[in-house]
Amino acid sequence: MKKEYDLIIVGSGLYGCVTAYLAHQVGWRCLVIEKRSFVGGNIRDEVREGINVHLYGPHVFHTRYQEVWDFANLFTRFNHFRYCPLARYGGKMYNLPFNMHTFYQLYGTQTPEEAALRLRQEQGIYPHPRNLEEKAISMVGRTMYETLIKGYTEKQWGRKTTELPPFIIERLPLRFTFDNNYFNDRYQGIPIGGYTPIVEKMLEKADVLTGTDFFEFRAQNADIADKIIFTGMIDEYFGYRLGALEYRSVRFETETLDCDNYQGNAVVNYTDGEVPYTRVIEHKHFEFGKQEKTVISREYSSEWAVGMEPYYPVNDEKNNALYEQYKKLADEEENVIFGGRLGNYKYYDMDKVIAAALEQLDRIV
């Protein structure tokens, strides 16, 4: 008996939306099930005071992959925004990522040779760093670590840096040029008009159920589709039978201010440990807005508990080992494929999400 759908996609984040679009391109009938009341997951934005507000934190699209860039441009055009965050510590401002501007602001050095010498003088001797603190000091020295890394990182992860694994900071950009562009990728920008129209275009040919619990739906519609792509939490899929994986959650305090420019930059990180939030986002600067008012969001990192919205997997040794056990269970699931950052318990940039969805559907087809 022919089933009603070829594919059910659980979750309408970027991975689910890309998969739904690709599935339609090969002629598959697709149903997307979303537990939230809206589609788009954490890249969703909405217009306030004429400003596209990133509801779940700043999302800057960047990629070095031509195929991914071409795919994204099927649905939108991008502006020329470049992500150049600032850091605030002790009432002073510093450029990010760590570059010649930062070295000058911290040490007064003016040449790459001077900056490199100062860093060598500052660096601790940790040939085999045991934790994030030792790794950071071995990379950038104690002054930069204590000014720009320690407080921010401990707020973000809710743990002392001496309790965090060193790999978390291995990708920290460190440049001996006066370049404030955080990303090195060839293609960068913000979609003109926001991310929400993109996901809505991707889902145009799919059936979509919002505000729907997948597990309840499946219990009543067990034979409705041939295959399932599950982009939710892999441990939730299995009822947390092996225990819950750990995540970090995030909450935002967003307000409209009666001024046209609050901080002069899209993102300012607050690296003081005493400041409760990790950063302030001023949304209009992503699209060079000229509105008379502005919208800002203060971002707070928090521990996650079952029932809360998960943002970042805690990929330490304990959680990675638990994920591998869940992955073994997932491999035994017939006609169910796990994808996305929650399904794979892995942090993905947006371009990597698109690349993974393209590759995954190729394998399925």
Side-chain angles (χ1 to χ4, degrees):
M1 178 178 177
K2 188 174 179 62
K3 296 187 178 181
E4 188 172 344
Y5 294 99
D6 299 296
L7 183 66
I8 288 179
I9 300 171
V10 183
S12 67
L14 185 58
Y15 188 96
C17 291
V18 171
T19 303
Y21 174 81
L22 295 172
H24 173 72
Q25 299 307 301
V26 297
W28 286 10
R29 298 157 301 155
C30 183
L31 172 66
V32 178
I33 298 177
E34 171 58 56
K35 67 179 179 181
R36 291 173 173 176
S37 60
F38 53 82
V39 296
N42 289 350
I43 66 169
R44 186 174 179 86
D45 45 29
E46 68 178 29
V47 178
R48 301 181 188 179
E49 301 293 338
I51 299 165
N52 279 314
V53 175
H54 297 216
L55 297 176
Y56 301 98
H59 286 84
V60 181
F61 193 86
H62 59 98
T63 186
R64 68 188 62 181
Y65 304 112
Q66 184 71 52
E67 180 185 17
V68 171
W69 182 247
D70 290 343
F71 179 83
N73 277 269
L74 293 174
F75 309 97
T76 189
R77 292 184 300 116
F78 288 85
N79 67 18
H80 61 278
F81 178 82
R82 295 296 180 263
Y83 187 49
C84 301
L86 295 168
R88 179 168 178 156
Y89 178 87
K92 296 183 178 180
M93 305 292 283
Y94 300 90
N95 288 97
L96 298 175
F98 301 153
N99 62 57
M100 288 298 296
H101 291 290
T102 323
F103 306 147
Y104 175 75
Q105 291 154 350
L106 280 169
Y107 312 127
T109 55
Q110 298 185 32
T111 67
E113 183 181 5
E114 291 173 351
L117 175 61
R118 181 58 187 264
L119 285 180
R120 286 197 297 271
Q121 293 170 344
E122 289 253 333
Q123 288 164 342
I125 304 174
Y126 295 114
H128 304 289
R130 297 167 298 177
N131 53 55
L132 187 147
E133 177 174 278
E134 293 183 357
K135 180 67 174 179
I137 293 173
S138 72
M139 292 174 67
V140 300
R142 184 167 293 277
T143 299
M144 189 175 295
Y145 161 70
E146 293 183 347
T147 304
L148 299 177
I149 296 174
K150 184 177 188 297
Y152 183 90
T153 303
E154 290 184 347
K155 287 188 292 186
Q156 187 178 37
W157 291 100
R159 294 161 175 78
K160 293 183 180 299
T161 50
T162 53
E163 299 171 358
L164 290 168
F167 75 83
I168 290 177
I169 205 169
E170 287 177 350
R171 295 173 59 194
L172 180 73
L174 186 65
R175 301 178 188 154
F176 292 91
T177 61
F178 288 91
D179 181 6
N180 297 322
N181 184 0
Y182 200 87
F183 303 116
N184 286 320
D185 296 320
R186 178 180 180 184
Y187 305 109
Q188 302 178 41
I190 297 289
I192 297 172
Y195 287 97
T196 296
I198 295 176
V199 299
E200 290 176 345
K201 289 178 182 177
M202 290 181 179
L203 295 175
E204 280 180 345
K205 302 299 183 179
D207 291 338
V208 180
L209 294 176
T210 57
T212 302
D213 182 274
F214 162 71
F215 301 103
E216 294 177 2
F217 179 88
R218 184 172 62 170
Q220 300 172 13
N221 302 273
D223 298 318
I224 198 172
D226 290 322
K227 295 180 183 295
I228 295 171
I229 290 185
F230 187 82
T231 72
M233 296 183 293
I234 189 171
D235 50 345
E236 181 186 25
Y237 180 90
F238 292 104
Y240 306 105
R241 73 175 72 165
L242 304 177
L245 291 162
E246 291 181 280
Y247 303 85
R248 291 295 290 172
S249 193
V250 179
R251 67 180 178 88
F252 300 91
E253 291 180 355
T254 299
E255 60 178 318
T256 300
L257 302 178
D258 195 17
C259 67
D260 65 351
N261 192 356
Y262 175 73
Q263 65 186 18
N265 202 53
V267 176
V268 176
N269 292 352
Y270 283 73
T271 61
D272 285 284
E274 295 75 19
V275 178
Y277 42 87
T278 55
R279 57 186 174 179
V280 175
I281 305 151
E282 188 169 11
H283 302 271
K284 70 188 309 177
H285 295 304
F286 291 116
E287 298 188 63
F288 315 104
K290 303 296 184 183
Q291 297 86 352
E292 294 182 357
K293 295 186 178 183
T294 193
V295 180
I296 67 168
S297 298
R298 293 181 179 87
E299 182 175 322
Y300 298 80
S301 183
S302 66
E303 290 289 342
W304 175 86
V306 174
M308 297 175 63
E309 195 65 40
Y311 278 77
Y312 307 110
V314 181
N315 289 120
D316 57 16
E317 186 175 343
K318 179 186 72 172
N319 282 288
N320 286 342
L322 180 57
Y323 165 71
E324 289 301 323
Q325 295 180 53
Y326 275 118
K327 188 175 184 302
K328 290 179 181 178
L329 295 178
D331 291 340
E332 297 171 359
E333 285 289 295
E334 188 175 358
N335 296 325
V336 180
I337 298 160
F338 295 80
R341 63 185 174 89
L342 301 180
N344 294 143
Y345 197 64
K346 178 181 180 181
Y347 180 78
Y348 285 105
D349 288 331
M350 286 184 286
D351 66 324
K352 303 300 191 303
V353 171
I354 293 175
L358 290 167
E359 181 182 356
Q360 182 75 279
L361 201 68
D362 279 345
R363 289 202 301 266
I364 296 172
V365 173

